[in-house]
Amino acid sequence: MVKIITGKRGSGKTKVLIDAIHAAEKQSNGNVVAIQKGSSLNTDITYKVRLINIEDYAIDGVEAFYGFIAGILSSDHDCTDIFVDATLKITGRDYDKLGEMFDKLVQITPSTTVTLTVSADNSELPESVKKFA
């Protein structure tokens, strides 16, 4: 399952994401992963959540990001939730490619929920991305 949290910069998406991460960690019988660009979540996330700084892996673009998520899932069969902050900083702003990636993620995440923040207003997004909101 893929879900997105949308809104302009400064609209509170990261706070909503952090709350969702904590709720998932309490409910999960498996592993919870949070992906960030930089270190913005370091002090807000419990140590029980696997926190990944994507900058440590030189991931840039939609294809590389999809491969990174697929790699996490292939190596951790107990991963119940993946959270991603600042998705567009990782993938770029090609919304059509983003929608295609979300469709591909749905196919490989039948038992994992992937929640991503997207710094854009819903009115800016094509239907291929909005359907995940």
Side-chain angles (χ1 to χ4, degrees), residues 2-131:
V2 174
K3 300 188 296 187
I4 61 172
I5 302 167
T6 62
K8 294 281 190 184
R9 185 175 179 181
S11 63
K13 296 177 303 299
T14 299
K15 172 69 172 126
V16 172
L17 186 74
I18 290 168
D19 291 344
I21 291 169
H22 289 143
E25 185 276 318
K26 288 178 181 159
Q27 296 173 359
S28 177
N29 291 326
N31 299 319
V32 177
V33 175
I35 300 171
Q36 63 181 340
K37 186 168 177 104
S39 59
S40 60
L41 300 177
N42 286 3
T43 59
D44 297 317
I45 303 300
T46 175
Y47 70 93
K48 296 176 184 176
V49 173
R50 168 84 165 110
L51 186 58
I52 299 170
N53 180 354
I54 199 129
E55 291 177 337
D56 294 340
Y57 300 93
I59 301 299
D60 189 25
V62 173
E63 292 83 10
F65 184 63
Y66 172 81
F68 189 77
I69 297 289
I72 290 172
L73 293 170
S74 70
S75 66
D76 185 354
H77 298 285
D78 293 328
C79 184
T80 60
D81 297 271
I82 297 175
F83 295 91
V84 182
D85 194 27
T87 303
L88 297 180
K89 288 183 180 179
I90 301 166
T91 63
R93 288 193 170 269
D94 186 332
Y95 296 137
D96 292 328
K97 284 187 177 180
L98 191 65
E100 291 171 12
M101 181 191 72
F102 290 166
D103 285 333
K104 287 171 61 177
L105 282 175
V106 166
Q107 295 174 15
I108 66 169
T109 58
S111 59
T112 303
T113 302
V114 180
T115 306
L116 311 97
T117 62
V118 176
S119 291
D121 192 75
N122 270 348
S123 63
E124 299 174 30
L125 300 172
E127 190 56 40
S128 63
V129 175
K130 275 196 276 193
K131 67 183 180 183

